[in-house]
Amino acid sequence: QVQLVESGGGLVQGGGSLRLSCVISGSMSSIDAKGWYRQAPGKQRELVARITGSGSTNYADSVKGRFTISRDNAKRTVYLQMNSLKPEDTAVYYCTLSRLGDDYWGQGTQVTVSS
């Protein structure tokens, strides 16, 4: 069974930075991709960033140049470095991974950016 636990959210002023972490427990084999999604109040959950097994990355247009996804397989951790944060980045951020046709989600961590 795969479990994901996020941390690193909080309250930050606009223009500030946060780094989210997602620790993965369970099997790390056959993982297709890992990523971060977010969901703001009243909005649908949206992809923020994704990294494949080969290391390819893709980002939502709204975060390109500001956010960076990375991984440390030895630490079983996926990171999301968020710089130049804006109030519109306020949301619950979820870590996710795809493995053998199944999707796994963390419980989410709140990020609030004040203006």
Side-chain angles (χ1 to χ4, degrees):
Q1 184 71 12
V2 175
Q3 290 187 320
L4 311 173
V5 179
E6 304 101 331
S7 62
L11 173 64
V12 64
Q13 281 192 330
S17 297
L18 283 174
R19 188 176 79 158
L20 305 183
S21 299
C22 173
V23 177
I24 303 166
S25 61
S27 178
M28 291 281 287
S29 65
S30 303
I31 291 177
D32 301 312
K34 303 167 188 171
W36 292 91
Y37 280 70
R38 68 185 180 187
Q39 188 166 20
K43 295 188 177 181
Q44 289 189 329
R45 193 172 295 190
E46 63 175 357
L47 175 67
V48 176
R50 183 174 177 267
I51 184 166
T52 67
S54 63
S56 298
T57 58
N58 62 287
Y59 297 90
D61 288 343
S62 58
V63 307
K64 282 180 182 176
R66 300 188 298 123
F67 290 11
T68 303
I69 188 171
S70 63
R71 63 187 179 187
D72 185 332
N73 289 336
K75 294 183 178 179
R76 307 171 67 92
T77 303
V78 183
Y79 302 99
L80 185 68
Q81 178 67 43
M82 306 186 294
N83 299 328
S84 302
L85 282 161
K86 304 175 181 180
E88 50 263 44
D89 295 317
T90 295
V92 177
Y93 284 71
Y94 297 90
C95 177
T96 183
L97 68 82
S98 301
R99 179 179 180 270
L100 300 175
D102 292 324
D103 294 328
Y104 298 87
W105 296 86
Q107 82 287 352
T109 185
Q110 176 70 46
V111 171
T112 303
V113 184
S114 63
S115 56

